[in-house]
Each structure stands twice: as C-alpha cells, then as structure tokens.
Amino acid sequence: MNNLLPIFMKIEESPCLVVGGGKIALQKIHQLLDNKATVTVISPDINGSIKSLPITLLHRCYEPGDIDRAKLV
C-alpha cells in the first residue's frame, strides 16, 4: 500500500510554511518556489543552501499558531 496522498492545489502567491531546515526541507522549498508560492521556513538550524533562496526565514522552533495563515504546511 502506498502511504502517500497525492494532492493537487493551486499555491501560486499563497503563503506556505516549511518546518525544518535540512535536505528534505530544501526539496520541498524548491517545489513550492517552482509553483510560485510565498514560502516561510521555521527552524533553529537552517541549511546554507536554503539561506540563499527567496524565502522568509525564522530561526527558531515551531510555535503554536505558526500555521494559522498558511495555505499549505
């Protein structure tokens, strides 16, 4: 059984949140940027490759309420 849920959504200019700053996060960020999403990343440790991308970076741990304005997390 496949444990993935394919979802199709229009995210152009939509606020999207990535929690984490490693290699997997970098892959997700690229997918979001390729689809013209507005990306915010929250993580106390952020990969150097992520820091050079056109995103909003929050160098801290996730807090309740961070997802309130995001269309996709």
Side-chain angles (χ1 to χ4, degrees):
M1 180 174 179
N2 187 343
N3 291 328
L4 298 175
L5 176 64
I7 298 175
F8 298 92
M9 357 176 19
K10 182 176 179 164
I11 58 170
E12 185 173 353
E13 297 181 17
S14 296
C16 295
L17 175 65
V18 176
V19 179
K23 291 188 328 184
I24 294 172
L26 179 60
Q27 294 171 356
K28 302 301 180 191
I29 294 164
H30 280 298
Q31 291 174 320
L32 293 168
L33 292 175
D34 287 347
N35 287 282
K36 300 182 173 94
T38 302
V39 180
T40 298
V41 175
I42 298 175
S43 180
D45 299 311
I46 298 176
N47 181 313
S49 298
I50 293 173
K51 293 178 182 179
S52 65
L53 297 173
I55 59 175
T56 300
L57 294 172
L58 301 175
H59 291 270
R60 61 173 174 80
C61 292
Y62 170 82
E63 297 175 1
D66 284 338
I67 65 171
D68 289 350
R69 292 190 217 161
K71 181 173 184 177
L72 181 68
V73 179

